[in-house]
Amino acid sequence: MTTNPIADISVPELARQIALLERQEAERGAPGLCTLTLELRHLYRRALLARDRAALTLVRHERWTEADIAEVICGHRACASCAAVILDWTGLTPDGGTEHDLTERHLVATQLRELLSLAYDRALRLLPAVRIGADLPADPEQRLAQTAHWLRFVDGYRAANHASRILFAAILVHHHGRPLTDVAELGAVTPDEVAAALAAAEASPPSDADSGLLAQLAQLDRVLGANTERLLAVRERALSDSLAGGVPERVVAAHIGLPEQERSAAHHLCPA
C-alpha cells in the first residue's frame, strides 16, 4: 500500500487560517497572509509533485495514456500534450500511486491552488489598508527600530516574490514554450532575468507555475512597493527625530541596517 505523501496537509485548517487573518485589522492580517502564502506555495508544490508521480506510475505500469491523465488533471482528453510535458520531465519518478491516489492528490492540489490565489487576493486587498505608522511608539528611536523591522519583513517577502516570478516565468518558457518577452512582462521581471533562470527551470517541475499565479505575484509586488515607500517616509521622519534628539549616528545606523542601497536619506549618515 502506498503511503500518502501529503496526508499531513489539512485544506480545511488552511482555509480557516485565511478566514481568520482576513477578519483581523489590516496591520496584523496583511503580514500574516503574506507569510501564509509562502507555506501555501510550498504545500501546493508538494501536492503537484505527488499527483504527477502517481500519474507517471499509472502510465508506466498500468498502461494509462497521456490522454487518460489529461482527463483527470485537466478535465478533458484534448490536453494530452500538456500532460505529456509533465510526464516527460526527467526529474519525475513513479511512486506506486493508484488511480485513487491520482484523483485524491489532484483534488488536494486544486484546493491548494484555490487557497493560494485566495490568500494573494486577500493580501492585495489588505495591504493598501495598512495604516503605516499606526500604533508606533512615541519615542523616535523605538519608532525607528520598529519601522526598520517592518521594512526588513517587506524587503524579505518582496525578494522571495521576485525570485518566484523569475522562476515561474522561466518554467513557462522552458517547459511550456511561452514567449520569453511575454512572460517577463506578465511577471514584471526583465527578459534577462528570465533567460538567466532557464537552467533552474529545467530542474523544476513543469507543473510548478502558471500564468495566473505569475500575474498575481506581479500585482502583489506593486502593492508591496507602494507600502515600502510609505514605510520609508515614516522611517525618515523617525530617523530625523532620533538624530535631533541626540541619538548617536552609530545607533541610528544599527537600527536601519546600514550600509544600504542608497534608497533613502539614511545613506548620508557616517556611522562611527
Side-chain angles (χ1 to χ4, degrees):
M1 183 176 179
T2 304
T3 301
N4 183 359
I6 55 173
D8 60 305
I9 299 176
S10 173
V11 172
E13 171 58 22
L14 292 165
R16 187 192 70 82
Q17 290 181 38
I18 293 175
L20 179 63
L21 287 166
E22 69 174 323
R23 288 197 299 268
Q24 294 183 356
E25 291 184 353
E27 291 74 31
R28 298 186 63 185
L33 281 165
C34 289
T35 301
L36 184 59
T37 62
L38 299 176
E39 179 185 359
L40 284 168
R41 179 60 204 155
H42 172 68
L43 296 175
Y44 178 47
R45 189 182 200 202
R46 281 182 53 203
L48 286 173
L49 188 58
R51 180 202 70 182
D52 297 347
R53 294 181 69 185
L56 186 61
T57 298
L58 294 171
V59 169
R60 289 191 178 177
H61 303 295
E62 301 296 334
R63 297 185 178 181
W64 277 47
T65 66
E66 292 159 348
D68 294 331
I69 298 299
E71 187 171 3
V72 175
I73 68 175
C74 300
H76 44 81
R77 301 175 67 83
C79 280
S81 60
C82 295
V85 170
I86 294 172
L87 297 168
D88 289 344
W89 179 53
T90 57
L92 190 63
T93 56
D95 70 350
T98 64
E99 179 178 355
H100 173 76
D101 292 329
L102 174 62
T103 302
E104 184 178 64
R105 296 175 193 179
H106 177 62
L107 175 61
V108 172
T110 300
Q111 292 172 331
L112 289 171
R113 171 64 174 79
E114 292 172 352
L115 286 182
L116 183 57
S117 184
L118 178 65
Y120 284 137
D121 181 69
R122 296 298 183 265
L124 283 166
R125 182 174 61 82
L126 286 182
L127 282 166
V130 172
R131 296 171 298 163
I132 302 295
D135 301 323
L136 288 176
D139 178 75
E141 184 183 348
Q142 294 180 17
R143 190 163 69 249
L144 178 64
Q146 191 164 328
T147 306
H149 165 76
W150 283 115
L151 273 168
R152 285 190 289 271
F153 171 83
V154 174
D155 285 349
Y157 187 74
R158 288 189 75 188
N161 178 308
H162 186 243
S164 294
R165 297 197 324 270
I166 294 171
L167 182 59
F168 291 176
I171 290 172
L172 289 169
V173 173
H174 178 80
H175 289 299
H176 302 284
R178 294 283 297 274
L180 189 150
T181 54
D182 289 355
V183 294
E185 181 178 0
L186 180 65
V189 294
T190 69
D192 286 345
E193 287 175 321
V194 178
L198 291 176
E202 183 177 2
S204 300
S207 56
D208 195 35
D210 62 58
S211 56
L213 283 180
L214 183 58
Q216 275 193 305
L217 286 170
Q219 186 178 3
L220 185 62
D221 185 67
R222 288 190 288 271
V223 174
L224 287 166
N227 276 20
T228 295
E229 294 304 315
R230 295 165 64 200
L231 278 166
L232 283 171
V234 172
R235 193 188 71 174
E236 294 307 304
R237 291 193 295 272
L239 184 151
S240 298
D241 291 345
S242 295
L243 291 175
V247 179
E249 288 186 351
R250 65 179 182 276
V251 175
V252 171
H255 281 309
I256 63 178
L258 288 178
E260 289 192 339
Q261 294 297 321
E262 304 245 342
R263 67 177 187 180
S264 74
H267 73 268
H268 294 300
L269 289 172
C270 297

